[in-house]
Amino acid sequence: MQALLVFLAIAALSLLASSPALDPSRFPSLARLAASGFLFLLFGVVLGPSVVGALSVEDLGHLRPVMALGLGTAGVILGLNLEPRLLRLLPRPVYAAALAHSGTAFLFVTVPLAAPLLLTSHPSLHAAVGAASLLGGAASLSSGHFAVLAYRAGRMDRARGLGVALLTMLDDAVGLAVLAVALMLSAAPSAGEGLGLVCLAVLLGILCGALLAFLTHAMNDPAELATVTLGMVALVGGAAAYLRVSALLAGVACGATLALVGGRTVERVARALGRVERPVFLVLVFLVGCGVYTRDWAAWALVPGFVGLRFLGKVLGGRIAQRMASGVLELPPRVGYALIAQGGLALCLVAEYQFLVPGGLARRVLDVVVVGAVVNELLAGPAFRQVLTPMKPRLAPAAVDDVEVAT
């Protein structure tokens, strides 16, 4: 019954998002949340145990396999998008620029918020460091959909829009690396055991990716290819949930392995997964919203700091990235304002963290990032206008004519 409620809610919100009544000119914020999927996130918060209670904590426990399946699917799609040829062709200044702008936001959030997490939750020191690092990792992520839509609509130069999208793609690697470190510190009694669990997840993904490449390399029937692909993706998520390792990291390793050795099969597999990407993402964000605990006042107190520090880090990091990539990657002026939108991967990070690190601290991190992601999505539209607004040219000082003095 609860699973049916989930799918009916998603179907109703899908109709709302595609309805002509949801005019972006009349309801810009609501239309933006519906397009990004965050409206489903808010709906999950409302139906979750801490508000209406249509889904109880026990119901969410029964839906954990669905969560693992969604995280595994998101990871495979993300891994497929890591094109090895493109990554090898990128010059070093591009990597340095991406690391600079994501690293600046990471430091701006991690360092100041580590002490409040330690004082309010009273965890062990390495658990607090892991939680603060995950907050910084979520803050380092950005979504480039505003830039992509702008260049498609002719409001931004194509090269600049693709430059922003490239930076956000490289951000994902930083966020995933931070997730691995946070799980290493918090998912097991010792860091060594945590490292073993992370390596097991990666190994699982590599084996599944190699097996998927072997099974699909000679397939020509699209229906057969889609069936095998979806079955293997389900295997990745299910095996990771059974082994209590990260389904997201296993999925990324699976997709990256397929992208590396799959050859011409990669495009067909990506096309097959593209048909289910949106529904899986909406189910995932709905379940993430259901896990939010709205009565944690300490989490609400951390949200303004998270949003404000991330905003400052993105703006300053954008300036640094623009200087480092000058002459190599074309970026719009004030590129930091184009990186305010946080995207769905941040939700996947905190959902995976809570999935593998149960407790009040992981739930607090989830609450802060979920509320912060919604606020950042609302701020991203006005902030992106700063990118499209032409900068006023600096006026050169007027030349002073030489004055001859008559004698």
Side-chain angles (χ1 to χ4, degrees), residues 10 26 42 60-61 68 95-96 103 105 111 142 153 172 177 184 203 236 242-243 306 320 322 329 361 366 368 407:
I10 290 174
R26 297 175 57 191
L42 295 177
L60 294 180
Y95 287 103
V111 176
S142 298
D172 296 344
M184 183 180 68
L203 179 61
V236 173
Y242 177 77
L243 296 173
F306 175 80
I320 299 174
Q322 200 156 25
L329 183 66
L361 182 61
L366 176 75
V368 172
T407 56

Side-chain angles (χ1 to χ4, degrees), residues 215-256:
L215 293 175
T216 57
H217 79 282
M219 286 185 180
N220 295 319
D221 185 8
E224 185 181 6
L225 179 69
T227 302
V228 173
T229 300
L230 294 177
M232 187 57 65
V233 170
L235 176 63
V236 173
Y242 177 77
L243 296 173
R244 296 290 298 173
V245 297
S246 173
L248 181 62
L249 294 179
V252 171
C254 176

Side-chain angles (χ1 to χ4, degrees), residues 2 136 175 183 217 255 260 362 395-396:
Q2 285 75 16
L183 292 178
H217 79 282
L260 188 62
L395 297 177

